[in-house]
Amino acid sequence: MESVCREFPGLRSSMAPYRIRQYEDSDYEVVRTMFGHGIKEHAPAGYIHMLKCLQTQLLFLGLFLAVLAASGSLLVSLLALLLTLIGGWFCIRSLWTDYVHQSLCSDLLDIRRTYLEAADSCLWVAEVEGAVVGAVLLREHRGRGIGRALCRTVVRFTQECGYSAVVLSTSMVQYSALQHGLPEGLGEVPIPPRTLGRGCLH
């Protein structure tokens, strides 16, 4: 099936020239590497987000009091709490790592078949001075409007395909970036983040 992706070279930043173009096979490794690094770098923020949750704080408090009551030792209680915090970090990091591994072995294993040959699917990259710096996610070159340009590219593509709404999803640690990246004038309806932060464009 011939790809129906569009290239939008006119989407450029006044601060630095960039181009939004369709994914090419030569981008395979850089897109996969960028995805892996981009997802994993949010593990610390995800862990801090978990620690800020009231349920987590109550759980740690209950653990501390239970160990204190059973052992009668403040040192043992603090040690148990510390070990739990360390274990929680490894669990969170493992979840992000497993997600990256699963994605690299599924939809990102054959990018062309998944995103370019499938109906109503596509993948674009942002290119600055000949280097790919963004795709679905951005690792560097932030603050130059590239994310907004990528959003506009997706919205324009889906409008041409006849869809009336687009749901943009991100992790809870990137919700503010999603809000700032939503194109203006498209009837955006922000949805408060739970597991994912989402914005619906009509």
Side-chain angles (χ1 to χ4, degrees), residues 22-118:
Q22 179 184 326
Y23 166 87
E24 299 173 357
D25 291 336
S26 59
D27 303 321
Y28 183 78
E29 290 299 334
V30 68
V31 167
R32 284 168 54 88
T33 300
M34 187 183 307
F35 172 82
H37 288 316
I39 294 297
K40 289 179 182 178
E41 74 177 2
H42 295 297
Y47 180 62
I48 292 174
H49 177 83
M50 181 196 72
L51 294 180
K52 290 181 178 179
C53 293
L54 178 61
Q55 297 91 331
T56 303
Q57 296 173 359
L58 291 176
L59 178 64
F60 284 146
L61 177 60
L63 172 66
F64 176 81
L65 294 176
V67 175
L68 181 62
S71 66
S73 170
L74 181 61
L75 181 60
V76 172
S77 301
L78 290 174
L79 180 60
L81 187 58
L82 177 61
L83 291 175
T84 303
L85 287 169
I86 295 174
W89 160 245
F90 280 106
C91 287
I92 290 293
R93 191 177 68 172
S94 176
L95 288 175
W96 291 92
T97 302
D98 290 346
Y99 172 71
V100 169
H101 179 73
Q102 179 182 358
S103 298
L104 293 179
C105 293
S106 55
D107 59 304
L108 291 177
L109 183 62
D110 190 341
I111 296 177
R112 173 163 294 279
R113 185 183 65 179
T114 303
Y115 292 103
L116 273 69
E117 295 179 359

Side-chain angles (χ1 to χ4, degrees), residues 144-165:
R144 300 185 181 182
I146 296 176
R148 184 180 296 270
L150 288 169
C151 287
R152 287 178 177 148
T153 300
V154 172
V155 170
R156 186 180 302 182
F157 174 74
T158 54
Q159 287 175 339
E160 292 178 358
C161 290
Y163 292 97
S164 60

